[in-house]
Amino acid sequence: SLTIPAVLTTSCKKSSDDDGNTNPQSGDVRDSVYMVAQDVYLWTDHLPTLAAFKPTSYPGPDEVIEKIKTYSPLLNGKNIDHYSFGLPKEEYENLASGSETDYGCGFKFVRTAGSDYSDDLRISYVYANSSAGTQGVARGWRVMSINGIAANSNNVNSLNTALNTGTVSIQFKTPANETKTLTLAAGLYTANTVIKCTTLTVGTHKEGYIMFNTFFGTAIPEINTAFADFATKNVTDVVVDLRYNGGGQVNIAEHFADLLAPANAKGKLMYTDQHNALLTSMGWNESKNYDNDPRMLPLLEKVAFIGTAGTASASELLINVLKPYLGSNQALFGSTTYGKPVGFYPIPVNRNKPDEYYTLIVAVKTTNSDGNSDYYQGFTPDVPAVDDLTHD
């Protein structure tokens, strides 16, 4: 899709099997979804009774969740909850495993200033194992047409329709000014979470750069491989590029934070959880500390994050939990992030039935060791910068 931003991924911590007895097996999936919300929703005290809400009056479970969101508190006249969603079982399992079924690349118009977009449509990133990746498509390639439709901003609706078909013919112009026409086919593949990892020499410093796109699937071993490479090169500063990272599993964010944490953070508080009164009484509020493991990068001094409106959830958690310990040795470059200090647990309803469905309803808010949790409007960059799609 060409719309920007499109951010809806999970930020989950407890396993999907640890559903706190919130797995009703109602005969109707819509009732089941609402009963989960009554148990886990962060603002459950705002919800009406099941009888008053009438879940079965809605077309399906998605519409039930959309209505639930309208009971969340208002911020600047809009409901805070624009995050909760749900997925059929198969779609959720693909998401959690890092499996994708698309062309394997991002499309984005070059942004010149403000909200102005030119007619220069570019590839923003590529997953190596996808149809685009195996054919050598790369960030920065210009898209001239899709299925013969000129790639300009007047044709966005037609272009989006073409991209949702499953097979497309795209005419590209490469940075070398070569024209290539390729057929991309949507198919199942495992996304590589680390898009790029490299080391740059800046003065006397070794700078490790990691482009990290999702907190799912094989993320932990991929991050570890990148940091092991940084360690052999005596990296002193790390750039973490999260510009298109919409989040994912919190345990992966915790692991990443442990790798970036300075010595003064080891063994100390990373963050605390906050749930509704019911889950609080059941002991769901937890505190997570940094590990005491030796630092993989003992020379690490500074951490720079790159963020955009597509940087959300677990990405923002990572930024937030390190700030109290890194202080002025941490900075954010780019544009204002998405704004999602809350997460959800993937809870299945109507399990083992044809309409099995996973609810991802806002259930938890995380707070860093300085007490900062309400970043619903995102993090403002220390240094504003435009996402230059013409360069790697």
Side-chain angles (χ1 to χ4, degrees):
S1 171
L2 306 177
T3 52
I4 306 167
V7 180
L8 274 181
T9 51
T10 60
S11 175
C12 43
K13 178 172 58 103
K14 290 183 172 62
S15 75
S16 56
D17 294 323
D18 180 11
D19 52 28
N21 297 318
T22 53
N23 184 32
Q25 299 298 327
S26 160
D28 194 294
V29 68
R30 295 166 293 182
D31 282 335
S32 300
V33 167
Y34 193 69
M35 291 162 70
V36 167
Q38 287 183 306
D39 279 350
V40 308
Y41 197 42
L42 191 59
W43 303 285
T44 188
D45 53 327
H46 294 196
L47 295 177
T49 63
L50 182 75
F53 187 93
K54 299 183 177 64
T56 54
S57 68
Y58 295 89
D62 292 348
E63 290 80 8
V64 170
I65 292 176
E66 287 305 306
K67 182 62 177 178
I68 287 167
K69 289 154 67 172
T70 67
Y71 290 94
S72 64
L74 296 177
L75 178 66
N76 297 330
K78 296 181 180 179
N79 289 105
I80 278 182
D81 183 9
H82 51 277
Y83 317 109
S84 296
F85 70 113
L87 290 171
K89 177 186 177 183
E90 184 178 0
E91 289 184 35
Y92 170 74
E93 289 178 344
N94 282 342
L95 177 69
S97 67
S99 297
E100 302 281 355
T101 52
D102 52 27
Y103 304 117
C105 56
F107 300 84
K108 191 174 179 183
F109 281 106
V110 168
R111 191 170 191 171
T112 51
S115 59
D116 177 43
Y117 291 86
S118 73
D119 289 338
D120 189 352
L121 181 61
R122 298 277 177 157
I123 296 298
S124 52
Y125 62 87
V126 180
Y127 289 120
N129 300 319
S130 68
S131 180
T134 56
Q135 295 186 74
V137 178
R139 173 178 168 87
W141 282 24
R142 185 171 180 180
V143 177
M144 306 306 294
S145 66
I146 300 175
N147 285 354
I149 303 164
N152 63 55
S153 51
N154 292 327
N155 293 334
V156 165
N157 290 339
S158 298
L159 293 167
N160 272 327
T161 298
L163 288 171
N164 283 314
T165 56
T167 304
V168 288
S169 175
I170 302 183
Q171 185 184 75
F172 295 102
K173 185 167 282 188
T174 71
N177 215 29
E178 181 184 1
T179 298
K180 289 190 176 187
T181 301
L182 299 176
T183 299
L184 303 187
L188 187 67
Y189 65 93
T190 299
N192 51 305
T193 65
V194 174
I195 301 290
K196 187 179 177 85
C197 172
T198 191
T199 303
L200 308 170
T201 302
V202 182
T204 59
H205 280 225
K206 294 290 186 180
E207 316 280 347
Y209 169 87
I210 179 170
M211 170 59 176
F212 184 64
N213 240 35
T214 179
F215 291 82
F216 279 119
T218 56
I220 287 179
E222 289 186 49
I223 296 167
N224 288 346
T225 298
F227 273 71
D229 182 60
F230 292 161
T232 65
K233 294 169 181 170
N234 297 316
V235 159
T236 58
D237 308 296
V238 173
V239 179
V240 184
D241 191 341
L242 302 170
R243 74 185 79 183
Y244 310 128
N245 193 318
Q249 293 169 323
V250 168
N251 66 301
I252 296 172
E254 293 167 356
H255 179 74
F256 211 148
D258 282 328
L259 292 173
L260 294 170
N264 68 330
K266 293 295 184 174
K268 293 182 182 173
L269 180 66
M270 184 184 290
Y271 68 85
T272 55
D273 280 343
Q274 178 187 329
H275 297 84
N276 66 28
L278 172 64
L279 297 188
T280 296
S281 71
M282 294 169 62
W284 281 48
N285 289 354
E286 296 177 354
S287 295
K288 174 68 179 179
N289 290 347
Y290 284 95
D291 67 21
N292 276 307
D293 295 344
R295 301 176 74 201
M296 188 179 285
L297 303 181
L299 303 177
L300 181 61
E301 294 177 9
K302 294 184 177 181
V303 178
F305 290 103
I306 299 176
T308 66
T311 304
S313 196
S315 290
E316 292 171 305
L317 175 69
L318 178 61
I319 294 168
N320 195 43
V321 299
L322 285 164
K323 189 65 176 174
Y325 299 102
L326 282 167
S328 61
N329 284 326
Q330 174 178 330
L332 175 65
F333 297 78
S335 50
T336 302
T337 63
Y338 184 69
K340 185 175 179 290
V342 292
F344 13 67
Y345 305 115
I347 298 173
V349 297
N350 287 22
R351 201 180 258 176
N352 300 320
K353 295 183 179 179
D355 59 354
E356 182 170 343
Y357 183 87
Y358 275 78
T359 64
L360 296 109
I361 292 170
V362 169
V364 59
K365 182 166 75 169
T366 57
T367 304
N368 73 7
S369 61
D370 277 349
N372 184 24
S373 63
D374 290 339
Y375 46 90
Y376 289 102
Q377 298 182 79
F379 292 118
T380 303
D382 299 290
V383 182
V386 172
D387 182 9
D388 182 357
L389 294 159
T390 65
H391 289 83
D392 199 359

